[in-house]
Amino acid sequence: MKKLILSILLVSCSLGVFAQDIDYARKVVKTLASPAFKGRGYAEKGDQIASAFIAGEFKKSGLLPLNGNSYFQDFDLSVNTFPGEVEVELNGKKLRAGADYLVEASSPPVQGRFQVITVDRALLNSVEKVLDLVEKAKDAFILLNDQANPSEEGPEEKKMISQAIEALKYDENLKFKGLIVCTSDKLTWTTLSFQTIRPVIVVNKKGLDPKSIQNITLNIDSRFIPKYTTRNVVGMLKGTSGSDSTLVISAHFDHLGLMGNKVYFPGANDNASGTAMLLSFVKEYARQPPKYNTVFLAFSGEEIGLLGSKAFVEHPLTDLKKIKFLVNFDLAGTGEEGIKVVNGSIFKAQFDRLTKLNQLDHLLPKVEIRGAACISDHCRFYEKGVPSFFIYTQGGIKAYHDIYDRPETLPLTEFSHYFQLMQRFFAGF
Ligand SMILES: [Zn+2]
């Protein structure tokens, strides 16, 4: 009986910890992905608001600042932003920003009504035809009906056409007003460090008859900032072993910011979720100090080219040679199909250990291996010889780099199991 009571107590106790962890993670995701954080980009200082919040969490847990007496590491980047109006009408009908269209991240500001010349993708298969088209479009927009059976194109033709599209987007020698790309693909936004000569509007083809489009009305306020100072958030906890070896937990907190003053990209999965994972470890290790010194790096500037992690390895605030292992969390919010481990095949012994830990307690449905891929912040460290994984969850909601990556629909299905697995993994060093 005593034993039974004890085990009931233990169960309810661990349930208590479990419930608190996931509630905290949800709160972090909800906060970071809320409108007040402006999509954690550079318009309206979304990055500053987010980094201040994270530093506040570091402080609450008693982390040591890693940069002298500061939790921040400043660095500069160039960025094209959309802080003001962004409005698009086709034939006088207003489109919904983010849902019906995206303004390509490099677009310059543009105001006015312009004539539209519609062409099928297939027309772009010769240089003469493209030049002829541009000549005709001098004061007009070209609308490219992008999906005219690309499957029928041979490899040469396909290459020619995609080169022509690149030229229509970016070639400064071609003089016409702008490009509209009409597509059936999912609308996926990005953020870019340059501004191009003419606007490119990507329009969702659904419910649209491209041939009927005669004019476009634009009111797009974009501002290029050649030097914007953003910041990483950096802190550490001393380990109990007295060793000077370090474990590093990283996640980028930045996202795509604003596309006009009415639309923001919440980035709940990318990467409020990974930041929530990092902060969950901050909290846990503050409560129960780890064996090794643990450095926490929350990066800015990831989406624009892994720039926060680049700045860090160029000015490291911890000895890179003393890092036993780094785990970078990016896209931590689903997990219905388990996780994928970038660099798993490079650091195979650690990958095998992770897989075994997972099998032991049936934590995640799958732990899949992947080779090297320079697609998140771990890469900058890996290039400097730091043993590292980048892990992302798989399955569940497919929202990515769009207005639908919202906290309300991010399940955090396997978050607790994921946290427990990684906790065991870190403890094994
Ligand atoms: Zn990301």
Side-chain angles (χ1 to χ4, degrees):
M1 190 59 183
K2 219 179 196 175
K3 219 175 175 184
L4 184 66
I5 291 171
L6 186 66
S7 62
I8 288 171
L9 270 176
L10 280 175
V11 166
S12 54
C13 196
S14 63
L15 277 178
V17 169
F18 167 84
Q20 189 199 3
D21 280 348
I22 192 70
D23 285 351
Y24 176 68
R26 270 188 214 292
K27 218 174 83 189
V28 169
V29 170
K30 204 176 155 193
T31 303
L32 288 170
S34 65
F37 282 63
K38 316 283 177 190
R40 306 185 305 281
Y42 312 102
E44 294 188 32
K45 297 189 184 300
D47 66 317
Q48 305 290 316
I49 299 166
S51 52
F53 168 77
I54 294 163
E57 295 302 294
F58 279 18
K59 192 165 185 203
K60 268 190 228 163
S61 286
L63 254 59
L64 302 169
L66 198 64
N67 193 12
N69 55 11
S70 171
Y71 288 122
F72 300 116
Q73 179 184 41
D74 286 2
F75 66 97
D76 296 332
L77 50 77
S78 304
V79 62
N80 194 38
T81 62
F82 297 86
E85 297 294 331
V86 167
E87 288 168 343
V88 175
E89 290 175 13
L90 290 177
N91 287 351
K93 186 174 169 276
K94 198 169 172 183
L95 303 187
R96 294 166 304 159
D100 298 331
Y101 74 92
L102 294 174
V103 177
E104 193 147 295
S106 60
S107 293
V110 54
Q111 273 85 30
R113 172 177 281 212
F114 307 92
Q115 188 209 339
V116 170
I117 299 174
T118 298
V119 291
D120 275 340
R121 183 184 153 89
L123 185 113
L124 306 181
N125 63 2
S126 89
V127 175
E128 292 76 41
K129 283 191 217 160
V130 173
L131 290 176
D132 196 41
L133 175 65
V134 168
E135 185 60 34
K136 259 196 272 171
K138 217 173 237 159
D139 298 310
F141 268 65
I142 294 171
L143 185 148
L144 183 63
N145 198 4
D146 195 22
Q147 296 296 309
N149 292 328
S151 58
E152 285 170 15
E153 294 159 7
E156 272 307 303
E157 197 180 8
K158 196 171 253 160
K159 196 174 151 204
M160 172 72 217
I161 292 174
S162 49
Q163 275 172 1
I165 294 172
E166 282 296 290
L168 289 177
K169 281 185 176 180
Y170 305 120
D171 192 331
E172 304 203 346
N173 297 312
L174 303 178
K175 307 286 184 212
F176 66 103
K177 282 293 170 192
L179 185 69
I180 306 164
V181 178
C182 201
T183 180
S184 314
D185 296 344
K186 179 185 115 49
L187 298 185
T188 302
W189 211 42
T190 181
T191 177
L192 292 169
S193 59
F194 54 90
Q195 193 175 83
T196 45
I197 190 167
R198 62 184 153 266
V200 177
I201 314 294
V202 182
V203 179
N204 190 341
K205 198 169 173 174
K206 208 172 167 190
L208 205 73
D209 174 16
K211 300 254 190 277
S212 73
I213 308 299
Q214 281 162 0
N215 60 67
I216 184 167
T217 309
L218 294 163
N219 181 13
I220 294 171
D221 171 18
S222 73
R223 282 176 225 170
F224 178 68
I225 309 172
K227 188 175 162 186
Y228 181 93
T229 303
T230 184
R231 56 194 185 179
N232 297 326
V233 191
V234 296
M236 70 107 61
L237 272 171
K238 280 240 180 281
T240 52
S241 67
S243 159
D244 63 354
S245 291
T246 310
L247 288 176
V248 181
I249 296 176
S250 73
H252 76 87
F253 68 81
D254 65 294
H255 195 53
L256 306 177
L258 304 180
M259 193 183 84
N261 52 19
K262 290 178 198 74
V263 169
Y264 81 107
F265 287 73
N269 196 22
D270 186 7
N271 187 30
S273 67
T275 309
M277 183 63 85
L278 178 144
L279 289 176
S280 297
F281 274 105
V282 166
K283 244 185 139 191
E284 173 61 19
Y285 286 164
R287 198 176 64 82
Q288 196 149 37
K291 188 156 84 183
Y292 290 106
N293 295 338
T294 304
V295 165
F296 297 91
L297 305 176
F299 294 120
S300 184
E302 194 267 357
E303 303 284 10
I304 202 161
L306 315 179
L307 297 185
S309 47
K310 180 169 182 264
F312 189 91
V313 299
E314 281 168 4
H315 306 279
L317 299 167
T318 186
D319 187 347
L320 298 183
K321 290 195 180 61
K322 295 268 165 65
I323 300 176
K324 278 179 103 66
F325 212 81
L326 175 147
V327 176
N328 179 53
F329 294 104
D330 196 350
L331 308 169
T334 68
E336 281 84 342
E337 292 165 37
I339 53 172
K340 188 95 134 202
V341 183
V342 170
N343 276 356
S345 61
I346 314 271
F347 303 101
K348 188 64 174 28
Q350 297 300 352
F351 177 79
D352 290 342
R353 190 165 69 77
L354 184 66
T355 312
K356 277 215 189 81
L357 287 169
N358 188 53
Q359 281 162 357
L360 215 58
D361 291 308
H362 310 285
L363 290 165
L364 296 176
K366 262 192 282 185
V367 176
E368 288 188 340
I369 196 162
R370 189 170 167 179
C374 197
I375 51 175
S376 191
D377 289 312
H378 68 290
C379 177
R380 302 293 188 185
F381 292 82
Y382 174 57
E383 285 171 347
K384 297 270 180 197
V386 175
S388 47
F389 283 161
F390 155 38
I391 310 183
Y392 55 95
T393 54
Q394 303 189 105
I397 188 165
K398 294 279 182 285
Y400 176 73
H401 281 214
D402 53 38
I403 56 169
Y404 306 108
D405 184 7
R406 298 156 55 203
E408 302 90 302
T409 48
L410 187 70
L412 296 176
T413 324
E414 295 289 341
F415 195 89
S416 290
H417 287 148
Y418 188 16
F419 177 81
Q420 287 167 39
L421 174 63
M422 297 317 296
Q423 195 177 15
R424 283 159 215 203
F425 180 71
F426 292 133
F429 282 98

